[in-house]
Amino acid sequence: MEHEPESNEALAQLKDMLSGIVAGGTAKIIEYPLDTLKVLCQINPAGQSFSTLQFTKNLVQQEGVMRIYRGLSAPLFGSCLEYFTTFWMFGAAERYFKSMTNKHELNMVEIGFCGAFSGIGIGLVLTPVEFVKCQMQAQHTARHYKSTMHCIRYHLGSNPLNFTTGLQATLLREVPGTFVYFVAYRGSTRFFKYMTDTPQSDDASNWMILSGGAMAGLSFWGLFYPVDLIKSHMQTQEQYVTTATAAAASTGNTSTATATTVMKQNQSVPRLIIDRVRQYGVMSLYNGYSVTIPRAIISNSCIFFVYEYCRRCLDKAI
């Protein structure tokens, strides 16, 4: 829907927030298994050849079906918060642009800038949530934690700045990504209306919303997937100091060995991408891509459909 200036801006923002929360929560429950598989494929050793179907089969056989829902609580909260922020900031920006320019309909560039504005907020909100999510999804990091809350408490106690891990990559994904995201969605729905001789002022039909959401998701992930892969690697480095006690067979004494894995946080995202391409090749940037495509279609179709439905219901009720 087009966000027109309303007499009560606070109420309009509240409706955007509530609709975004419901849309984000619904989509996350539906697509979380594919999100888990995406992360596990991304952090799988780049030099190792594997089939996504075989990888999924082995995972379920070894760890059970519920393995793909491990760590859901943090991303479920995060998804609600993400789309709360997305539609709140985008809607507010669109109404502001229209009131300042006295336009009934913004062009695609203006819509893109409204999306990019929301991307700044999304990046700041999502980074700590995705850090916890990735820590719980990856086997080599999840083994350190008893639960999602244990993971959160550990990093709050040891170093709260751990929650900013991957911030640069998240902003590089979200700011230009949401520019493209909303341009693809709004451009698709306007095109469908044009092709079916539907007035642009009318609400988009259900199939237009679902198709537009799918195009938005494909555009976002098709262009910015490599940045997301690097973010996953940054957020799944082991940050524990592991102490192991071993008996020395030759002396019979007990010695303590401490092994520490240190993150390379001083490296920029472009440098990490270049290093990965040099070491493993360009295609290593697309590990898990076959999982991401159906996830992008399902998730974003659901997000826009639920958002638009909730927003219309709230407009009628309030």
Side-chain angles (χ1 to χ4, degrees):
M1 64 177 295
E2 299 277 351
H3 293 92
E4 300 295 339
E6 299 186 23
S7 57
N8 190 334
E9 175 61 20
L11 181 60
Q13 292 186 23
L14 178 62
K15 289 188 283 188
D16 286 334
M17 293 174 189
L18 293 175
S19 301
I21 289 171
V22 176
T26 304
K28 181 53 66 177
I29 292 172
I30 292 172
E31 57 95 7
Y32 189 74
L34 292 176
D35 183 64
T36 298
L37 293 174
K38 180 206 71 163
V39 171
L40 294 177
C41 289
Q42 285 179 335
I43 63 178
N44 198 59
Q48 180 178 333
S49 176
F50 62 91
S51 159
T52 301
L53 289 176
Q54 187 61 44
F55 184 85
T56 305
K57 181 181 176 182
N58 293 342
L59 180 70
V60 172
Q61 286 178 344
Q62 293 171 11
E63 303 186 50
V65 175
M66 294 309 296
R67 171 65 179 86
I68 56 179
Y69 275 100
R70 179 188 292 170
L72 173 62
S73 56
L76 180 61
F77 170 77
S79 183
C80 293
L81 193 59
E82 175 185 1
Y83 289 98
F84 164 97
T85 306
T86 301
F87 290 110
W88 167 44
M89 295 183 70
F90 176 80
E94 184 176 22
R95 285 188 294 271
Y96 176 78
F97 262 107
K98 286 184 175 180
S99 64
M100 293 297 292
T101 59
N102 292 319
K103 288 183 178 180
H104 175 68
E105 187 177 274
L106 299 182
N107 60 44
M108 289 295 104
V109 175
E110 291 167 334
I111 288 171
F113 279 118
C114 292
F117 173 68
S118 71
I120 297 172
I122 297 167
L124 296 174
V125 165
L126 210 54
T127 299
V129 175
E130 290 204 342
F131 171 77
V132 174
K133 181 200 74 159
C134 289
Q135 287 278 306
M136 293 303 297
Q137 286 176 324
Q139 186 176 13
H140 66 281
T141 52
R143 62 190 174 88
H144 294 299
Y145 312 112
K146 298 176 183 177
S147 65
T148 301
M149 285 307 301
H150 179 224
C151 175
I152 294 170
R153 285 196 301 267
Y154 170 79
H155 290 287
L156 282 173
S158 61
N159 184 6
L161 290 179
N162 286 345
F163 291 107
T164 65
T165 301
L167 176 60
Q168 179 194 16
T170 306
L171 288 172
L172 283 175
R173 182 191 69 185
E174 294 296 336
V175 175
T178 46
F179 183 103
V180 173
Y181 185 71
F182 279 104
V183 166
Y185 175 71
R186 195 59 64 78
S188 297
T189 54
R190 287 182 182 178
F191 175 75
F192 294 144
K193 288 178 182 179
Y194 172 77
M195 293 299 293
T196 56
D197 294 323
T198 303
Q200 292 294 332
S201 58
D202 287 0
D203 289 334
S205 63
N206 290 342
W207 74 266
M208 292 179 185
I209 295 170
L210 291 169
S211 300
M215 290 301 298
L218 287 171
S219 300
F220 182 100
W221 288 106
L223 292 173
F224 299 99
Y225 186 80
V227 178
D228 183 70
L229 181 139
I230 294 300
K231 180 199 70 68
S232 293
H233 274 273
M234 294 172 71
Q235 293 182 326
T236 54
Q237 296 292 327
E238 289 189 272
Q239 296 183 21
Y240 258 81
V241 176
T242 305
T243 303
T245 303
S250 59
T251 62
N253 295 326
T254 301
S255 62
T256 300
T258 301
T260 305
T261 304
V262 182
M263 287 193 63
K264 297 179 179 179
Q265 294 194 31
N266 58 332
Q267 292 193 31
S268 66
V269 174
R271 171 52 56 187
L272 288 170
I273 291 176
I274 292 170
D275 289 347
R276 186 175 178 85
V277 170
R278 285 177 177 172
Q279 187 172 2
Y280 300 114
V282 174
M283 293 310 296
S284 71
L285 295 174
Y286 290 90
N287 279 2
Y289 194 66
S290 60
V291 177
T292 299
I293 295 303
R295 170 179 171 262
I297 294 172
I298 295 168
S299 176
N300 291 283
S301 295
C302 176
I303 285 167
F304 279 102
F305 181 80
V306 174
Y307 169 79
E308 297 279 13
Y309 179 81
C310 290
R311 191 63 163 83
R312 290 173 189 175
C313 289
L314 289 173
D315 283 340
K316 293 176 182 177
I318 303 176

